[in-house]
Amino acid sequence: MEHNDFVLLNQIKYPCDLRKMPLEQLPQVCEELRQDIVKELSVNPGHLASSLGVVELTVALHYVYDTPEDRIVWDVGHQAYGHKILTGRREQFCTNRKLHGIMPFPSPAESEYDTFTCGHASNSISAALGMAVANKLSGKDSDSNRHVVAVIGDGAMSGGLAFEGLNNASSTRNDMLIILNDNNMSIDRSVGGMKQYLLGLSTNETYNAMRFKLSQWLHSKGYLEEDRKNGLIRLGNALKSAISHQQNIFEGLNIRYFGPYNGHNVIELVRILRQLKNMKGPKMLHLHTIKGKGYEPAEKAATIWHAPGKFDVNTGERIVKDTSGKPQKFQDVFGHTLLELAKQNPDIVGVTPAMPTGCSMCIMMDEMPERTFDVGIAEGHAVTFAAGMAKEGLMPFCNIYSAFAQRAYDNIIHDMAIQNLPVVLCLDRAGLVGEDGATHHGAFDMVSLRAIPNLTVASPMDEHELRRMMYTAQLPDKGSFVIRYPRGNGVLVDWKCPLEEIEVGKGRKLHDGNDVAVLSVGPLGNDVADIIKEHEASDAAVKVSIAHYDMRFVKPLDEAILHEVGKKFKRIVTVEDGARNGGFGSAVLEWMSDNGYMPSIKRLGLPDQFIEHGTVPELREIAGIDKESIRKSVINT
């Protein structure tokens, strides 16, 4: 479908244009918006199924609420493509996730309609509550009648921060609306007690309508004064529980609950939102939606179509690159190696917070479901849960994306490292991840973790090193062990190798030299090795003699190598794919200073800024860690 075929969508540049349309035209607007998203993402890949599932909700919200004056706070921003298209970015949407294009997730830096950064899950309720309280304190909720809505979904309700926000919302004066987009999915299918609870939760719509009318009447008679309201709500909740024989956790927190309703009936959604819009106190609207709604392939396989890459709109066939004869993804090497180790060691168990497919723990999960645990979007719990199993003699491999592990920092320190428990924390997507941008780059793991006592922090240069590190980490008496590795493919077609122990804290010299020493950690070491080979084979008039050390470990550092380098070289270049300030290079600099060596040290890593979205090669060039930047630093300095 061409742009000219979108009769109604072409009339909408901003939500104010949408609000001029008659209610009966909204279903067609939804149909056109859904087709526009499918068409755009077929050629410019992104998060498809999540945004398709909230098309009707997105249209209804912007139709009922006076955005951007009213605040819509999205949770897990990959739901928000329709929101972007309706808020002045339709013409730019073809640049989504591209370098210098529109951002992959909502951001206030991009649009006034984006009220809060939302690349990670579970923050919407807390942020929206803060906005609602700020409005009350400033008088804006009465003077301008500003409304605040939090939209939470895609499994984000299982996150601890969501419960913290609910708990505070129940006891803090506010009028915000929380919309639970319940599609029984995160990226993979949702798991856990909250999923089961929501599946069974139902409230009679007639009851909701009667209660709303009754509350309006009580308010008009003066019976719903603030000091009486909570008591009446508790009484109503008790009566409903007695009638329905079902407890409602939200109403138990004095948050008025409505639903569940069909989230794909836009006319009905508008009616409900209009009823709830000016209702006082915190409210929960529970909607049932279908992830991938309206595009059959995405409805049938929502996990695959969460971010499917390019595809043919008409046939639903994904355009998948031929990977035969090419290196495996690091995550797949992890998954296959974990299963291999688990077959040898009956104490090994796997833990992941809602990413079994993304991190490839599904490989072990398919064969050993009783020894793998998807704990939902709950990274802190994942670490502490793993630590509890380790305390009782098991050997947990806990896999978390590097950027998401930031939410588990206290758990890593308090529950894992202080006791030096044998948990193997595997940080997938370490370093630059590409098109998902600043919220998802695994930039800070080396900086934050190298300061923690008892932790071993390792970063493999290739797939063989990953396998050896995983084998080493599960051996007795290795304590708390962290292995970080990047998103995407490795460098070895023949990635299998014998499982051999690596001495903890022991690096390796890959190339000898006399003029400059390059100390690398992680996969950028492959570029350093290529640079040395190319330089030696070049016809440069002046050749630089380059030594290369793959340090393997950020903590502990190989002090034997550092003494060797400190005594021999006046120039050192450190290379890492994490934040430069406080990272691996800083650790080398500190060690040299502490031990009386005074070489010139050039540190290459991510600069002191948040790196935008784009392809990994584009972003590495911006960050100064692409091959040419490394070459110049090594050869020309």
Side-chain angles (χ1 to χ4, degrees), residues 36-37 40-48 51 77-85 89-107 110 114 306-307 310 434-437 612-615 618:
D36 197 33
I37 293 172
E40 291 289 352
L41 266 65
S42 69
V43 294
N44 181 29
H47 295 103
L48 177 68
S51 284
H78 55 229
Q79 301 180 90
Y81 286 177
H83 161 80
K84 285 176 177 278
I85 290 171
R89 288 167 279 184
R90 187 179 177 210
E91 294 303 318
Q92 293 78 39
F93 191 66
C94 60
T95 70
N96 185 44
R97 294 163 57 85
K98 294 180 180 178
L99 185 66
H100 307 316
I102 63 173
M103 297 181 179
F105 304 100
S107 170
E110 180 175 284
D114 297 353
H306 175 78
K310 294 183 179 181
E435 292 83 355
D436 282 340
E612 61 181 306
H613 53 283
T615 66
E618 289 171 336

Side-chain angles (χ1 to χ4, degrees), residues 255-534:
I255 297 172
R256 299 185 64 181
Y257 171 89
F258 300 90
Y261 294 105
N262 177 8
H264 297 301
N265 186 334
V266 68
I267 303 294
E268 180 72 359
L269 284 177
V270 168
R271 181 190 69 80
I272 295 168
L273 291 173
R274 282 174 170 169
Q275 285 186 342
L276 298 179
K277 185 175 180 180
N278 294 308
M279 188 181 293
K280 297 299 182 182
K283 303 160 288 291
M284 165 75 74
L285 174 60
H286 182 185
L287 302 178
H288 278 162
T289 61
I290 299 171
K291 191 169 181 177
K293 174 68 175 178
Y295 188 61
E296 186 176 359
E299 287 190 33
K300 289 182 176 179
T303 296
I304 293 173
W305 287 85
H306 175 78
K310 294 183 179 181
F311 59 94
D312 185 299
V313 174
N314 297 318
T315 66
E317 182 180 355
R318 295 170 62 222
I319 302 172
V320 181
K321 295 180 180 178
D322 181 13
T323 58
S324 58
K326 295 182 180 179
Q328 290 255 3
K329 292 180 179 179
F330 271 96
Q331 68 185 56
D332 291 336
V333 174
F334 160 82
H336 288 295
T337 304
L338 180 61
L339 177 59
E340 186 178 343
L341 289 170
K343 289 178 177 179
Q344 299 175 10
N345 183 347
D347 291 334
I348 287 178
V349 291
V351 180
T352 178
M355 294 295 178
T357 301
C359 75
S360 293
M361 192 172 285
C362 57
I363 295 172
M364 178 180 172
M365 188 173 286
D366 289 342
E367 193 159 333
M368 299 178 175
E370 74 285 355
R371 289 168 59 184
T372 49
F373 303 89
D374 178 356
V375 301
I377 299 178
E379 290 79 10
H381 165 68
V383 171
T384 302
F385 173 59
M389 288 193 288
K391 182 65 171 60
E392 297 303 312
L394 294 179
M395 171 56 64
F397 277 73
C398 181
N399 192 304
I400 307 177
Y401 289 6
S402 172
F404 300 161
Q406 295 160 186
R407 297 196 290 242
Y409 193 58
D410 179 62
N411 308 77
I412 293 170
I413 296 172
H414 184 272
D415 301 330
M416 178 176 154
I418 286 179
Q419 302 174 83
N420 199 20
L421 291 171
V423 175
V424 185
L425 183 59
C426 295
L427 301 184
D428 196 344
R429 272 70 166 174
L432 294 170
V433 299
E435 292 83 355
D436 282 340
T439 58
H440 283 58
H441 295 318
F444 307 110
D445 50 64
M446 288 187 286
V447 174
S448 61
L449 297 178
R450 77 175 186 88
I452 302 174
N454 289 342
L455 283 192
T456 294
V457 183
S459 186
M461 182 170 154
D462 57 36
E463 301 93 311
H464 289 174
E465 287 290 286
L466 173 59
R467 284 172 55 78
R468 291 171 184 138
M469 288 175 181
M470 290 177 66
Y471 174 77
T472 300
Q474 55 88 50
L475 294 174
D477 302 320
K478 292 297 187 274
S480 300
F481 210 107
V482 179
I483 306 173
R484 65 183 303 275
Y485 51 89
R487 179 187 188 186
N489 297 89
V491 295
L492 302 174
V493 175
D494 184 12
W495 56 270
K496 290 187 177 180
C497 66
L499 294 172
E500 300 170 337
E501 181 177 1
I502 294 174
E503 183 180 345
V504 173
K506 182 69 174 177
R508 53 181 182 165
K509 183 193 291 186
L510 299 180
H511 194 272
D512 205 358
N514 298 307
D515 296 329
V516 58
V518 181
L519 277 56
S520 66
V521 66
L524 289 182
N526 296 292
D527 284 352
V528 175
D530 288 343
I531 289 167
I532 294 172
K533 289 178 183 177
E534 292 164 4

Side-chain angles (χ1 to χ4, degrees), residues 563-578:
H563 277 298
E564 176 183 323
V565 170
K567 293 174 181 176
K568 182 177 181 180
F569 295 94
K570 294 182 179 179
R571 286 203 304 117
I572 299 172
V573 177
T574 65
V575 182
E576 61 193 298
D577 60 345

